[in-house]
Amino acid sequence: MADIIIKNGNVLTMDPELGDLKNGVVVIDDGSIVEVAESTEATADTVIDARGGVVMPGFVNTHTHAGMTLFRGYADDLPLASWLQDHIWPAEAELTASDVVAGTNLACLEMIKSGTVAFADMYFFMEEVGKVVESSGLRAALSYGMIELGDAEKGKNELKKGKGFVNEWNGKADGRISAMYGPHAPNTCSKDFLIKVKEQAVADNAKIHIHVLETEAELNQMKEQYGMCSVNMLDSIDFFGPDVLAAHCVWLSDGDMDILANNNVNISHNPVSNMKLASGVAPVTKLLDRDANVCLGTDGCASNNNLDMFDEMKTATLLQKVDTMDPTALPARKVLEMATINGAKALDIKGGMLRKGYNADVIIVDMNRSHLTPLFDVPSQLVYSAGGSDVRTSIVNGKVLMDDHKVLCMDEQKIIDDAKEAAFDLVSRVDAKN
């Protein structure tokens, strides 16, 4: 007997070999998908009727700072320098471990409710983040954000912290958690430090999560400092490979794109954050034309302001269309692949598709709603019309985390109340110092 059977749903497998099933079943057992078909002879302890819904792989959010949910709406509509220096950095300087716990709990709750099953996170107090993820039931690739600023002693301590976190957390929570090295960016970490990070990551068989060419200011700083951009500097030290997750990648030349694609670097596109901070438009269509693995991330809530991957998909495709002046650019199914298949590949997760033997990370989207009617094309409807609140069921590793919009793995109201209290206490501490 299987654990779960999902029946009567419109099954969007995202599997190019199997295709989609207008009325199919997904059978789950022991954390994995054991059957995807039009019908089944199997029986299960739990049967979920997905009538009127789309059954699909959950989303993979490949760039977050989960604890920053506490900064949602705190410092909006400001120039980047003022946003960072006058608001975000002073607030982050006051962060405590309990603040990050409250913020990460809120982030996990938001992701469960909006269909995200896995995420890549870079922030502080990552041991606490790991504990929250472990209890939430989600998957995550976590990294301690290392900022060295050319200070050799600081770099030694940062790498020690990063290594300690990787050694302690990689493979935790029955494999739901992986740990990565998280050098913040090429303009906040020296070349020598980045060489050491790469060597340590290779030695520990761990991946690397890093910001790359998010802003024009970074591009100009790197050219002044090294006589070349971030991509060329990183390439010169053999930093790149399929073990690297590079967030943003906005200010790329054609040569930069060739380097990233040829080295199989995973690129996390964060269109909402890039637009809100006026950072620029990443050349996603050109990267995809080079067969680069481009996935999607939301960034932190201070610069988004939510973790809704439906918003991110819609924004990504519309931004490419208007930037290229081509309405066929980045079609709905392609951006769905970025949010599922490509994200799973970037985090080395056996997911992103509903396929036998893959992780049972499944969501059901309720399509029986006014703004989703009529339903002519499932991918188009999901990308252009649906939102996170349309997700009615979230399953990760074969465990139902949310059923019929009710979260089963967390105390929703307590998490909301705790986050409110933590956020306003944090801001009051910041204000008291100014």
Side-chain angles (χ1 to χ4, degrees), residues 212-288:
V212 175
L213 286 179
E214 180 177 1
T215 64
E216 188 177 22
E218 177 190 336
L219 174 66
N220 294 335
Q221 179 185 335
M222 295 298 288
K223 284 186 174 180
E224 183 176 334
Q225 186 173 354
Y226 295 106
M228 63 183 79
C229 74
S230 300
V231 170
N232 281 268
M233 188 278 280
L234 291 169
D235 188 45
S236 74
I237 60 172
D238 295 324
F239 190 87
F240 287 133
D243 58 336
V244 173
L245 173 62
H248 299 294
C249 296
V250 175
W251 289 85
L252 302 177
S253 68
D254 285 344
D256 296 337
M257 287 183 260
D258 291 338
I259 289 170
L260 294 174
N262 292 339
N263 284 280
N264 298 308
V265 175
N266 303 289
I267 300 157
S268 179
H269 178 43
N270 297 238
V272 174
S273 175
N274 295 158
M275 292 172 70
K276 189 183 177 204
L277 296 177
S279 297
V281 182
V284 171
T285 53
K286 290 182 178 180
L287 286 163
L288 291 171

Side-chain angles (χ1 to χ4, degrees), residues 78-87 89:
L78 294 171
L80 179 61
S82 175
W83 177 76
L84 276 174
Q85 296 166 19
D86 301 333
H87 299 277
W89 286 345

Side-chain angles (χ1 to χ4, degrees), residues 62-63 120-122 141-144 146 159 166 178-186 189 193-212 234 237-247 264-268 346-347:
T62 54
H63 185 61
D121 196 59
M122 178 199 291
L142 306 178
S143 56
Y144 166 66
M146 300 180 290
L159 189 54
V166 167
S178 61
M180 307 173 76
Y181 281 92
H184 178 260
C189 296
F193 181 71
L194 290 167
I195 290 171
K196 291 174 183 175
V197 170
K198 178 67 175 185
E199 289 173 348
Q200 194 61 59
V202 170
D204 292 339
N205 195 28
K207 291 181 176 290
I208 299 172
H209 188 174
I210 185 172
H211 301 79
V212 175
L234 291 169
I237 60 172
D238 295 324
F239 190 87
F240 287 133
D243 58 336
V244 173
L245 173 62
N264 298 308
V265 175
N266 303 289
I267 300 157
S268 179
L347 303 191

Side-chain angles (χ1 to χ4, degrees), residues 12-164:
L12 183 70
T13 69
M14 299 305 297
D15 183 341
E17 295 179 11
L18 180 60
D20 303 331
L21 306 171
K22 287 192 175 180
N23 188 355
V25 296
V26 177
V27 184
I28 295 168
D29 192 51
D30 196 26
S32 296
I33 296 169
V34 296
E35 188 178 5
V36 182
E38 292 183 347
S39 62
T40 183
E41 298 297 321
T43 58
D45 296 325
T46 300
V47 177
I48 299 174
D49 190 340
R51 195 181 311 273
V54 168
V55 183
M56 63 178 290
F59 300 118
V60 182
N61 184 345
T62 54
H63 185 61
T64 63
H65 310 291
M68 294 187 83
T69 53
L70 298 189
F71 302 146
R72 194 193 318 264
Y74 170 59
D76 287 342
D77 305 323
L78 294 171
L80 179 61
S82 175
W83 177 76
L84 276 174
Q85 296 166 19
D86 301 333
H87 299 277
I88 300 303
W89 286 345
E92 287 187 327
E94 296 297 318
L95 275 175
T96 64
S98 62
D99 292 330
V100 173
V101 168
T104 305
N105 265 316
L106 185 64
C108 288
L109 175 64
E110 183 179 350
M111 286 189 274
I112 289 166
K113 289 176 70 68
S114 57
T116 290
V117 296
F119 66 103
D121 196 59
M122 178 199 291
Y123 212 48
F124 316 119
F125 300 105
M126 293 308 293
E127 292 81 4
E128 302 303 318
V129 173
K131 293 173 187 175
V132 171
V133 173
E134 187 169 21
S135 64
S136 75
L138 287 170
R139 293 189 193 278
L142 306 178
S143 56
Y144 166 66
M146 300 180 290
I147 298 177
E148 166 252 12
L149 298 172
D151 183 329
E153 190 60 31
K154 180 175 173 60
K156 185 178 178 181
N157 292 331
E158 289 286 86
L159 189 54
K160 184 179 178 181
K161 285 183 182 178
K163 178 175 172 57

